[in-house]
Amino acid sequence: MAIMYALKSSDNEIFEVEQKVIEQSETIKKMIEDGAATGEIPLQVSSKTLAKVLEWCKQRQHKTVENENDDNKGKRKKERDEDDDIKEWENKFSDELKADKDVLFDLLLASNYLDLPALLSFLCQLVADMVAGKMPEEIRRMFNIENDFTPEEEKAITAEHGWAFQP
Amino acid sequence: MSESQPAKKRIKRQHDQHHLITANLPDDILEIIFSFLPIKEALRTGLLSPRFRNCWIRSRKLHFDKDFARGRSQENFITIVDKIFNVHAAPTILSLRLYFNPTGVVSIVEEWIKKCVEKGVEELDLNFVEGPNPFVIYSSYLNTNSLKILKLCHCKVFVPPKLCYLNTLVLKKVHVRPVLMKTFLENCLLLESLDISKCHTMAHMKIYAENLNKFKELRVGDCGPYTVVIDIDAPTLRLFHYSGQPVFVKFMHKLMLNDVIVNFFSFSYMRKENPVNLNDLSNVTVFSATAAFLEILVSKKGNKEFHEKPPGIRLMQLKEFQLIMEGAHFCNVYDIASFLKSCPRLEKVFIDLNEFSFACGYYWESHQKEILDKEVPGAAFECVKVVKITGFKFQKHEVELVKYVVQKARFLKNLVLVTPRNSRLNDYAEELQHYYKMFCCWKASIIGQITVFDYFEDTSSVHPQHSRLTWF
């Protein structure tokens, strides 16, 4: 019988999750190890985002279990299909996030807060692809970055790495 | 054309601003995000604000590719790349791409590669085509478990490295000796894709990949005239693209192949057997070939026998077939019709007639045409929905091909004709009206639409999956 934990979202929704699934989060794993995880574990993550986090963790968990059980023979066809399934799942997952940017950025913050390195990398790459090819002014507006460079400083940076600023 | 492009770009940018995405993310997360940008883009983020001034030293993608190399001297290339390597501060490098002439600076390049390997590099794309001699790769510094993608161009690999986690291998202009191939296929058990192009290889290429459970894609492109036979033992293969001189391809396993290109550059008479055993293609759903492939098939059977017996080939699963006629010697409408008839589930047919004119001889006039005319209309092509013929010049035999197809395909939805690259639609203004009426009169399908496009204004949105038959 798998050990279950109850996670409470910031909007007070309860998610029952297997220990193996949620232990991928270093933050929660540490809480469990420290004995701090009794009863409901309150998290500063909205229920919508937490559902996405758990979707990711379950998929990952499934993947690692499959690999452990792999006896390498007579499974060729099945295994191939599973590879495709994972890729397909990841594509679908990222398409959904690209369509709903608010969830994407919330999930990014949650993956950082819960310390899920694989998810964090996955999402950072996704956002980096959105940033690529944009002008500095556009990126600043995108992330509310204030530009406090003087024109002279800007000129110095452009001069230092001239090649990167050529079109 | 050149004038209208900048205008388009401007419109696009305004559009982007309209749907501007904004987010309040902490600086340290932004820094991680920017580390996933290629180095050039990462350097540009230095302009955002003082906080991100030196963010680029954590870039995980050190891409110094063809774009970077354009118009740059070797000295300048090395100065910039070396500087970045010297200050690079991230614990990981995901990818390194190099495109330059390494003559005289081999040891510096080796240092760069070693640094990447130390930082767990996953992709190496090393293109030394600019150099006069191949760059020698030693396995001593390449034996890494992190590498997933390896692309080598104009390199010499003495002892192949044991790359246990490699999933993509691309070799271009690399002398592929049997031992090299063998070692790669024995060690890289997770290999998914192998691409060999413009390589000097052996006369008998052996792809023995029976132990590779994930091997799905094999591409062999323009590997010189020396390769005669390719033996493929790869039970999991799904995609096989071949481009080059005619060869015998022998598959040793019952295959799941579903995506195939056979791009034979020229016809050559093959005495013994078919270049590809068509039974091996029984699962293929998407198939592109040049006329040379069809001609070898036809020539095997001997013309007389070929038309008297119904074609034996049955590509039961084929849904999309593309035929490139350029370079054909004797392939005619009858040969094409015979092939199409042997694919009962065909849905889409693409025939490219650019740089080609049918030369149908006496045999066609006296015999084959009559056979086609006698066939019951609508008796085959039950699944054909789309037919596209490009390079269409309204020549006699081209019209006969259209006639044959539209008479047969009862459920045709779209017939698309596109003019050749070197002529305009206006050139055919007279024929157009005349033939349009004829096509409409011939067609067996009630709902079928016929559209004719100028080569440069083809907005049909009907395109083959294999947009090009050469990829290297």
Side-chain angles (χ1 to χ4, degrees):
Chain A
M1 187 59 192
I3 305 168
M4 303 294 280
Y5 280 89
L7 307 179
K8 195 165 113 183
S9 68
S10 55
D11 47 347
N12 295 322
E13 205 174 308
I14 305 290
F15 291 81
E16 294 269 347
V17 198
E18 267 184 58
Q19 180 174 356
K20 271 188 186 161
V21 172
I22 200 57
E23 258 186 359
Q24 291 173 61
S25 156
E26 292 295 328
T27 311
I28 295 181
K29 192 179 176 189
K30 201 160 181 305
M31 286 167 87
I32 294 172
E33 280 166 4
D34 294 350
T38 48
E40 293 159 0
I41 306 175
L43 297 173
Q44 290 308 312
V45 180
S46 73
S47 54
K48 196 178 173 187
T49 310
L50 191 53
K52 276 274 166 216
V53 170
L54 297 175
E55 202 184 312
W56 168 273
C57 291
K58 278 175 192 160
Q59 173 68 19
R60 284 266 141 174
Q61 171 66 14
H62 179 71
K63 192 174 155 186
T64 44
V65 169
E66 286 299 327
N67 285 347
E68 278 165 18
N69 293 344
D70 188 9
D71 61 0
N72 229 352
K73 269 184 189 172
K75 275 193 160 185
R76 266 179 187 150
K77 192 178 178 298
K78 197 165 161 271
E79 204 177 297
R80 256 201 338 264
D81 294 344
E82 271 159 17
D83 276 356
D84 286 355
D85 286 351
I86 290 167
K87 270 177 203 157
E88 208 175 280
W89 183 88
E90 279 187 1
N91 286 341
K92 198 175 147 254
F93 192 71
S94 54
D95 283 347
E96 282 170 11
L97 294 174
K98 276 185 228 162
D100 192 343
K101 304 279 187 326
D102 291 336
V103 177
L104 169 61
F105 293 123
D106 275 349
L107 193 57
L108 191 57
L109 291 168
S111 66
N112 188 45
Y113 160 66
L114 294 170
D115 199 357
L116 289 156
L119 180 58
L120 184 63
S121 293
F122 181 84
L123 297 170
C124 283
Q125 182 64 68
L126 216 60
V127 181
D129 293 343
M130 285 159 46
V131 169
K134 290 213 160 46
M135 302 298 286
E137 195 45 49
E138 290 173 276
I139 304 175
R140 278 190 208 117
R141 229 173 305 153
M142 194 168 167
F143 298 117
N144 293 323
I145 298 168
E146 202 184 326
N147 176 22
D148 32 21
F149 275 131
T150 63
E152 288 74 31
E153 283 172 319
E154 275 191 24
K155 222 175 172 181
I157 296 169
T158 324
E160 191 185 347
H161 305 287
W163 68 272
F165 296 93
Q166 286 152 13
Chain B
M1 196 66 194
S2 59
E3 271 178 18
S4 68
Q5 262 173 349
K8 261 184 195 167
K9 261 186 188 167
R10 259 200 305 279
I11 291 164
K12 194 161 177 273
R13 190 167 296 159
Q14 277 167 4
H15 181 80
D16 278 354
Q17 279 171 9
H18 198 66
H19 298 276
L20 194 72
I21 320 146
T22 54
N24 276 314
L25 296 174
D27 286 348
D28 49 348
I29 290 191
L30 284 179
E31 212 168 80
I32 305 174
I33 291 172
F34 297 154
S35 78
F36 282 91
L37 288 169
I39 183 69
K40 182 174 175 176
E41 301 256 359
L43 277 162
R44 288 171 176 221
T45 61
L47 269 188
L48 292 177
S49 81
R51 173 70 170 83
F52 303 105
R53 172 87 162 80
N54 292 320
C55 200
W56 60 271
I57 61 171
R58 272 178 280 281
S59 168
R60 298 161 200 244
K61 298 189 171 180
L62 305 183
H63 295 179
F64 307 101
D65 46 22
K66 205 172 175 178
D67 268 346
F68 172 75
R70 194 166 291 132
R72 196 175 297 284
S73 70
Q74 190 206 43
E75 195 189 347
N76 186 245
F77 189 103
I78 292 168
T79 314
I80 292 176
V81 178
D82 213 38
K83 186 178 160 196
I84 286 167
F85 265 104
N86 285 336
V87 295
H88 189 263
T92 39
I93 293 176
L94 288 176
S95 51
L96 171 68
R97 294 184 189 165
L98 295 176
Y99 183 99
F100 84 122
N101 172 6
T103 312
V105 289
V106 170
S107 58
I108 299 178
V109 179
E110 286 179 357
E111 281 310 310
W112 296 342
I113 299 174
K114 280 178 202 167
K115 272 185 194 164
C116 289
V117 169
E118 277 164 25
K119 295 191 177 191
V121 71
E122 292 181 7
E123 178 192 336
L124 283 178
D125 182 348
L126 309 174
N127 191 324
F128 299 116
V129 73
E130 299 281 301
N133 301 311
F135 182 88
V136 180
I137 300 266
Y138 291 99
S139 62
S140 52
Y141 54 77
L142 256 197
N143 270 323
T144 160
N145 284 343
S146 62
L147 203 62
K148 291 185 181 150
I149 300 171
L150 178 61
K151 299 180 183 179
L152 299 176
C153 181
H154 203 42
C155 291
K156 205 168 191 172
V157 188
F158 272 124
V159 184
K162 293 186 174 109
L163 301 163
C164 308
Y165 290 89
L166 201 68
N167 68 38
T168 304
L169 178 62
V170 179
L171 300 173
K172 192 172 174 182
K173 293 194 174 202
V174 175
H175 185 77
V176 181
R177 290 161 299 128
V179 63
L180 182 73
M181 186 69 82
K182 195 164 169 274
T183 325
F184 272 129
L185 292 175
E186 277 173 7
N187 288 311
C188 310
L189 293 177
L190 298 177
L191 197 67
E192 288 176 25
S193 165
L194 174 62
D195 180 340
I196 308 166
S197 59
K198 295 190 182 291
C199 290
H200 275 291
T201 57
M202 40 276 178
H204 188 168
M205 192 188 285
K206 293 171 185 165
I207 312 286
Y208 292 161
E210 53 171 348
N211 292 326
L212 308 190
N213 290 339
K214 296 179 189 290
F215 188 44
K216 281 179 212 146
E217 303 185 351
L218 174 64
R219 294 176 177 83
V220 180
D222 196 11
C223 283
Y226 308 111
T227 306
V228 182
V229 180
I230 305 179
D231 273 350
I232 301 172
D233 185 0
T236 56
L237 202 65
R238 288 204 197 165
L239 175 150
F240 175 65
H241 289 180
Y242 178 84
S243 186
Q245 297 303 323
V247 288
F248 289 110
V249 184
K250 289 181 185 164
F251 295 99
M252 302 186 172
H253 259 279
K254 180 84 187 131
L255 285 174
M256 299 293 293
L257 266 187
N258 55 24
D259 179 327
V260 172
I261 293 180
V262 179
N263 175 15
F264 283 164
F265 290 170
S266 63
F267 170 77
S268 83
Y269 187 71
M270 291 185 160
R271 251 182 235 164
K272 276 194 213 145
E273 52 199 313
N274 282 331
V276 177
N277 182 352
L278 290 160
N279 286 330
D280 290 329
L281 304 185
S282 59
N283 280 316
V284 172
T285 54
V286 186
F287 181 39
S288 295
T290 46
F293 173 76
L294 216 55
E295 291 184 338
I296 294 172
L297 281 189
V298 175
S299 70
K300 295 249 67 72
K301 302 194 172 221
N303 259 339
K304 201 163 180 223
E305 192 192 339
F306 192 72
H307 75 79
E308 276 166 5
K309 285 183 184 175
I313 342 150
R314 281 267 184 266
L315 299 180
M316 293 303 288
Q317 302 301 327
L318 195 63
K319 297 243 165 67
E320 180 181 323
F321 176 58
Q322 178 180 204
L323 180 65
I324 312 288
M325 292 302 292
E326 189 180 347
H329 294 284
F330 56 83
C331 184
N332 66 20
V333 176
Y334 187 81
D335 302 323
I336 298 174
S338 299
F339 187 85
L340 296 182
K341 271 186 289 183
S342 69
C343 315
R345 299 230 175 102
L346 208 54
E347 289 172 11
K348 294 179 181 175
V349 181
F350 297 91
I351 300 174
D352 184 345
L353 301 173
N354 276 296
E355 316 294 328
F356 170 79
S357 287
F358 284 108
C360 299
Y362 170 73
Y363 200 66
W364 158 260
E365 294 294 344
S366 71
H367 217 98
Q368 294 176 319
K369 185 174 184 301
E370 203 179 321
I371 297 173
L372 290 190
D373 284 345
K374 272 187 199 158
E375 278 184 17
V376 192
F381 299 172
E382 291 289 298
C383 300
V384 173
K385 301 225 164 46
V386 174
V387 175
K388 181 173 185 174
I389 305 178
T390 47
F392 196 78
K393 300 171 279 294
F394 293 91
Q395 289 174 357
K396 184 180 159 202
H397 298 295
E398 295 176 351
V399 172
E400 273 162 352
L401 178 65
V402 171
K403 181 183 176 189
Y404 180 76
V405 174
V406 295
Q407 277 187 338
K408 286 248 157 192
R410 281 198 293 161
F411 303 105
L412 187 73
K413 280 188 183 152
N414 257 322
L415 169 70
V416 180
L417 303 174
V418 182
T419 66
R421 281 186 279 265
N422 51 8
S423 60
R424 301 282 70 82
L425 195 54
N426 285 342
D427 303 346
Y428 305 100
E430 278 177 34
E431 289 99 324
L432 209 58
Q433 284 303 321
H434 169 63
Y435 282 114
Y436 186 76
K437 275 184 200 150
M438 274 166 72
F439 294 158
C440 286
C441 174
W442 285 330
K443 75 182 161 80
S445 158
I446 303 160
I447 50 165
Q449 277 197 350
I450 301 171
T451 35
V452 185
F453 288 100
D454 193 285
Y455 178 77
F456 288 106
E457 284 157 18
D458 175 4
T459 49
S460 63
S461 77
V462 176
H463 300 287
Q465 275 191 42
H466 301 140
S467 54
R468 296 169 59 196
L469 264 52
T470 49
W471 56 91
F472 38 85

